[in-house]
Amino acid sequence: MFYPSGIMGKHIEWKQDMKKFDLWKDGKTGVPFVDANMRELALTGWMSNRGRQNVASFLVKDLGIDWRLGAEWFESQLIDHDVCSNYGNWNYAAGIGNDPRENRKFNMIKQGLDYDPEGEFVRLWVPELAPVKNGKVHTPWTLTGNDFVDIDYPKPMVIAPEWSRQLGRVNPSGFYKNQQKKGMGNQRGLDFYFSNKNQPKK
C-alpha cells in the first residue's frame, strides 16, 4: 500500500515536480474548487469528503504527481488522519487501489458546480475571487466583456479538455442551470480518507 505501484502493483511513471506540488498544497493552482479546499485544510486541519476526492484526483490525474506526496501532506495536516484510510484511499485516487471503475477521474468544474453552485464556498476560502459572482467563480479565466473583473488570481496550472463541457451549465447571469435539481449538494460519495470512527452513521 505504501509503494508507488499500490496494492494493485500498477507501474505508473509518477512525477516528482515539487514546484507544482507546492502550488497544489498552498491552494494556488488557479482552479478555484481545488484551491478553496486546500486552503481550508491548511487553515483548519480538515476538509470535506468531497473535497478530499477532488484535490487528490487533481494532483494525480491532472498533474500526474506522485500520490505519495499527497498522502504525506494529508498525514501532516488532517486532524482526523488515519494511516490505513489515508493511504488506502490515495491508492484508490491514483488508480492503483480497489476501484470497480478503472481510471476514475474527477472533473473539477463539474464537481464545483454540483457541490458549490453559487460559489459561496470558493469565495469564503479564496477571498481574492470575491468580486466574481455566482457559478462563474469556478472558471474565472473565461470571464470576458461585461463579466470581466480585475482579480489577483493565477491562471489554471492545467485545463483539462473535459472541463469545456461544463461551461454551458452557467447562464449569462452566472446562475447555475441545474442547481434546483432535487437533492443537489447533498449527495455523498465514498467516505474518502475518513477513518471508520469518523464515518457518519447510515
Side-chain angles (χ1 to χ4, degrees):
M1 180 168 66
F2 301 101
Y3 288 102
S5 56
I7 62 173
M8 302 299 288
K10 292 184 179 180
H11 296 284
I12 299 173
E13 294 296 325
W14 300 111
K15 300 175 184 176
Q16 295 281 337
D17 189 326
M18 297 309 298
K19 181 177 180 180
K20 289 183 178 180
F21 175 76
D22 286 343
L23 290 172
W24 174 82
K25 76 176 181 62
D26 294 336
K28 297 181 179 179
T29 68
V31 182
F33 195 55
V34 174
D35 291 346
N37 278 287
M38 294 306 295
R39 294 186 193 187
E40 179 186 32
L41 173 64
L43 290 170
T44 69
W46 189 85
M47 188 192 300
S48 71
N49 171 45
R50 179 57 48 175
R52 300 179 199 206
Q53 295 182 71
N54 276 278
V55 300
S57 179
F58 183 79
L59 183 72
V60 299
K61 296 297 178 67
D62 288 302
L63 300 182
I65 292 176
D66 193 332
W67 66 270
R68 293 172 300 172
L69 295 175
E72 290 168 4
W73 182 247
F74 272 29
E75 183 173 6
S76 72
Q77 298 293 305
L78 286 169
I79 59 175
D80 63 349
H81 178 260
D82 175 85
V83 174
C84 294
S85 294
N86 184 38
Y87 282 84
N89 284 296
W90 272 95
N91 271 222
Y92 160 87
I96 54 176
N98 289 322
D99 187 354
R101 197 171 96 192
E102 193 172 355
N103 296 321
R104 185 187 301 268
K105 181 175 187 261
F106 285 83
N107 183 319
M108 297 301 109
I109 308 308
K110 180 182 186 302
Q111 292 286 306
L113 288 170
D114 280 353
Y115 293 94
D116 185 30
E118 286 294 291
E120 295 176 0
F121 174 76
V122 165
R123 282 186 289 272
L124 173 65
W125 296 105
V126 189
E128 57 266 43
L129 291 176
V132 184
K133 304 303 180 184
N134 301 311
K136 293 181 180 180
V137 76
H138 292 289
T139 55
W141 63 90
T142 66
L143 299 178
T144 59
N146 293 332
D147 293 326
F148 179 78
V149 290
D150 188 16
I151 52 177
D152 183 19
Y153 186 70
K155 297 291 184 183
M157 298 172 63
V158 62
I159 297 179
E162 66 269 17
W163 295 359
S164 63
R165 298 197 298 267
Q166 306 302 317
L167 300 182
R169 297 173 65 188
V170 179
N171 289 334
S173 66
F175 188 80
Y176 174 45
K177 293 178 182 178
N178 298 326
Q179 66 179 301
Q180 293 181 335
K181 188 182 296 183
K182 185 177 180 180
M184 184 62 72
N186 295 319
Q187 301 134 323
R188 281 186 61 226
L190 298 175
D191 291 313
F192 208 62
Y193 303 125
F194 286 97
S195 59
N196 290 334
K197 64 179 178 293
N198 293 313
Q199 291 181 6
K201 295 182 179 179
K202 295 181 180 179

